[in-house]
Amino acid sequence: ILNVEQSPQSLHVQEGDSTNFTCSFPSSNFYALHWYRWETAKSPEALFVMTLNGDEKKKGRISATLNTKEGYSYLYIKGSQPEDSATYLCAFWHEVGSYKLIFGSGTRLLVRP
Amino acid sequence: SAVISQKPSRDICQRGTSLTIQCQVDSQVTMMFWYRQQPGQSLTLIATANQGSEATYESGFVIDKFPISRPNLTFSTLTVSNMSPEDSSIYLCSIGQGKTEAFFGQGTRLTVV
């Protein structure tokens, strides 16, 4: 069974705090790891698609790292703002036997002003 | 990028009835994916819809319960049949795979009473 685990399940921080979340995934047959941000009443929106061990990607105050050998990725948010409040999903692209994204259950972030 | 229009955005349905969810994409795509997120759970793939062939269902999902149509390369429907309260979820359609980001519809929030 392919499992993608995310932690923590939820997080409440103050505006200006920096924070990070973890995504763990199967380290065998790795192809790609995706991060999405999902705000209430909106579509999930892609943040990063990472494919190489050691990848580091950045978009504004948000960055992510990837370790395919040990099967984990970190998402960092620097100086959190209330508009960062959302659910952050990671997903593992599976290509053995079938083609699909396998999602974690997400980290719900609430940033208090 | 791609734009996916999904409707309805939400509905409240009586148990035993059926609801059909539609997704329209602004470009032609080979594969469309249908996901479900039950409360507190991961986004779970229901099935992959390919134009011109029957949908491929994931373990735990069957065609009689979730019939899918894919009449052309820009449109798909998912029907939730004979609904029960356990079907209360957010349903999402999606395109994109592998090393490219996925795009999602706005989601359908279904409540079965």
Side-chain angles (χ1 to χ4, degrees):
Chain A
I1 295 178
L2 296 169
N3 233 12
V4 177
E5 304 280 348
Q6 288 189 249
S7 64
Q9 196 171 40
S10 67
L11 197 52
H12 293 188
V13 301
Q14 284 297 128
E15 182 175 355
D17 287 351
S18 293
T19 187
N20 64 85
F21 326 131
T22 304
C23 173
S24 62
F25 52 86
S27 55
S28 59
N29 299 308
F30 179 83
Y31 193 76
L33 193 281
H34 297 218
W35 280 100
Y36 293 88
R37 174 188 144 108
W38 193 5
E39 292 180 71
T40 304
K42 294 186 178 179
S43 312
E45 175 191 347
L47 290 171
F48 306 112
V49 178
M50 307 172 79
T51 57
L52 298 175
N53 184 44
D55 254 356
E56 291 188 27
K57 294 208 172 181
K58 188 174 180 183
K59 186 184 284 190
R61 293 179 290 100
I62 305 177
S63 59
T65 60
L66 179 67
N67 183 323
T68 61
K69 294 189 187 311
E70 295 180 43
Y72 65 84
S73 176
Y74 294 132
L75 188 79
Y76 300 91
I77 302 179
K78 186 177 176 182
S80 303
Q81 299 296 308
E83 57 265 30
D84 295 329
S85 298
T87 296
Y88 291 83
L89 297 167
C90 72
F92 173 80
W93 177 252
H94 173 70
E95 265 201 7
V96 180
S98 61
Y99 298 84
K100 57 187 173 182
L101 275 174
I102 300 171
F103 282 86
S105 54
T107 293
R108 282 166 286 283
L109 173 67
L110 177 63
V111 182
R112 296 196 188 95
Chain B
S1 67
V3 176
I4 306 176
S5 299
Q6 181 175 345
K7 55 183 181 182
S9 58
R10 59 175 62 231
D11 208 340
I12 300 173
C13 299
Q14 296 290 323
R15 68 176 68 201
T17 63
S18 297
L19 175 72
T20 295
I21 302 167
Q22 299 180 6
C23 273
Q24 178 76 51
V25 187
D26 68 347
S27 57
Q28 294 185 334
V29 294
T30 307
M31 296 168 76
M32 291 181 71
F33 303 88
W34 286 97
Y35 289 88
R36 176 176 81 175
Q37 187 189 41
Q38 294 177 301
Q41 304 293 315
S42 309
L43 267 177
T44 302
L45 183 64
I46 298 171
T48 303
N50 298 311
Q51 197 272 331
S53 63
E54 283 203 3
T56 304
Y57 288 83
E58 296 297 305
S59 175
F61 297 96
V62 294
I63 188 170
D64 289 346
K65 175 68 176 176
F66 296 102
I68 286 172
S69 79
R70 186 80 204 276
N72 56 54
L73 290 171
T74 64
F75 187 78
S76 180
T77 68
L78 170 78
T79 299
V80 186
S81 303
N82 188 26
M83 288 184 283
S84 66
E86 292 71 38
D87 294 320
S88 298
S89 297
I90 299 174
Y91 292 85
L92 281 167
C93 62
S94 171
I95 63 172
Q97 56 179 316
K99 291 185 177 179
T100 62
E101 63 187 87
F103 295 93
F104 294 86
Q106 299 93 327
T108 297
R109 187 177 295 271
L110 171 62
T111 303
V112 183
V113 297

